[in-house]
């Protein structure tokens, strides 16, 4: 059964440490996304990739990095430069940009202390 | 980036009632429209895409009003399990890296 998988579900880190969130999809989708959701806020785009080996910054890319070496995988690294990293992180994929529905992973809840 | 606005609620509705809420968008060139449902501390899940002619899926009906720039979601015979936050998403080919703008959601509570 096709889907998109994020791991881990919960992640705890000390301030100053980099951490990588995993996102894998087997939907054969070209486009992949990373969003951040804070309480009472809408989803905000961190990074977007339309194709392998290419990605674009979203609205809040500072302090984050990504790679897209394989179509199926789009890992997100939260670096120590991110000032307020505690949040709910959602990975998504779609068949195409803006006009295809997003399929979301079940999210990673990151807590940095 | 253009805005998408939703009434945050919460909307408290008795079970079995009909409830409707809107989502307004400011970019008249918007091209695609979606409703997602998000349960507490879970990921959003696609409820339905919204087509120009309107569309229905069981108890759910979505409509698009381009003239007034809003989409609507109507839920008939509401169930306790319909309690969730409903997110509106609007797409536009010139709208940022992903072309998508999310509303902040409308919180719906169905009461027994």
């Amino acid at each position: 059964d096709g889907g998109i998988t994020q791991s881990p579900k919960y992640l705890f880190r000390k301030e100053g440490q980099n951490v990588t969130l995993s996102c894998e999809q087997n939907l054969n989708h070209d486009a992949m996304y990373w969003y951040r959701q804070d309480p009472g806020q809408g989803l905000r785009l961190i990074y977007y990739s339309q194709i392998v080996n290419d990605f674009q910054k979203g609205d809040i890319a500072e302090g984050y990095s990504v790679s897209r070496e394989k179509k199926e995988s789009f890992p997100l690294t939260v670096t120590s430069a991110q000032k307020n990293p505690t949040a709910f992180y959602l990975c998504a994929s779609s068949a195409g940009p803006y006009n295809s529905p997003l399929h979301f992973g079940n999210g990673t809840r990151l807590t940095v202390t | 980036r253009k805005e998408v606005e939703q009434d945050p609620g919460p909307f408290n509705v008795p079970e079995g009632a009909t409830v409707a809420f809107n989502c307004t968008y400011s970019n008249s060139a918007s091209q695609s429209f979606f409703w997602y449902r998000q349960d507490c501390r879970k990921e959003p899940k696609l409820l339905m895409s919204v087509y120009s002619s309107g569309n229905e899926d069981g108890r759910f009906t979505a409509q698009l009003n381009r003239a007034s720039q809003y989409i609507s979601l109507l839920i008939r015979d509401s169930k306790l399990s319909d309690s969730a936050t409903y997110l509106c998403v609007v797409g536009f080919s010139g709208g940022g890296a992903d072309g998508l703008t999310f509303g902040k959601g409308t919180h719906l509570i169905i009461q027994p």
Side-chain angles (χ1 to χ4, degrees), chain A residues 17-99:
Chain A
Q17 293 179 334
N18 291 356
V19 61
T20 297
L21 282 58
S22 170
C23 178
E24 304 277 334
Q25 56 100 355
N26 61 3
L27 298 166
N28 200 32
H29 285 165
D30 286 316
M32 295 189 75
Y33 314 72
W34 274 106
Y35 293 95
R36 169 181 173 143
Q37 188 175 38
D38 294 283
Q41 300 285 325
L43 274 69
R44 292 184 289 168
L45 181 68
I46 305 173
Y47 268 99
Y48 164 65
S49 171
Q50 194 170 345
I51 198 168
V52 173
N53 291 323
D54 185 51
F55 46 82
Q56 295 175 271
K57 292 182 179 180
D59 299 320
I60 55 165
E62 185 174 351
Y64 300 97
S65 66
V66 293
S67 62
R68 187 88 187 274
E69 298 176 0
K70 299 186 299 181
K71 187 175 185 177
E72 302 79 17
S73 179
F74 192 41
L76 173 75
T77 296
V78 184
T79 75
S80 57
Q82 168 51 231
K83 299 302 180 190
N84 186 19
T86 295
F88 187 41
Y89 290 88
L90 288 159
C91 180
S93 69
S94 73
Y98 81 86
N99 60 353

Side-chain angles (χ1 to χ4, degrees), chain B residues 69-86:
Chain B
Q69 295 183 205
Y70 71 87
I71 62 172
S72 63
L73 180 66
L74 179 97
I75 306 174
R76 288 180 299 277
D77 187 24
S78 54
K79 312 291 184 190
L80 295 176
S81 57
D82 294 333
S83 297
T85 297
Y86 291 84

Side-chain angles (χ1 to χ4, degrees), chain B:
Chain B
R1 182 178 283 198
K2 300 294 184 178
E3 296 296 324
V4 171
E5 295 189 2
Q6 298 183 251
D7 185 336
F11 286 24
N12 290 282
V13 175
E15 190 176 10
T18 295
V19 59
F21 32 84
N22 292 342
C23 164
T24 61
Y25 60 93
S26 60
N27 183 1
S28 60
S30 295
Q31 296 159 285
S32 58
F33 308 89
F34 308 94
W35 282 107
Y36 286 80
R37 172 203 168 114
Q38 186 174 25
D39 293 298
C40 188
R41 300 178 71 84
K42 301 280 191 178
E43 76 278 16
K45 293 185 179 179
L46 179 69
L47 184 62
M48 51 203 313
S49 302
V50 187
Y51 305 117
S52 296
S53 56
N55 45 305
E56 186 174 311
D57 183 2
R59 299 182 292 110
F60 298 84
T61 300
Q63 293 193 313
L64 167 63
N65 186 318
R66 283 195 182 274
S68 299
Q69 295 183 205
Y70 71 87
I71 62 172
S72 63
L73 180 66
L74 179 97
I75 306 174
R76 288 180 299 277
D77 187 24
S78 54
K79 312 291 184 190
L80 295 176
S81 57
D82 294 333
S83 297
T85 297
Y86 291 84
L87 302 177
C88 164
V89 182
V90 176
F92 168 55
S93 62
D98 63 342
L100 298 171
T101 304
F102 288 79
K104 293 183 179 180
T106 295
H107 188 196
L108 175 65
I109 300 171
I110 306 299
Q111 297 176 325

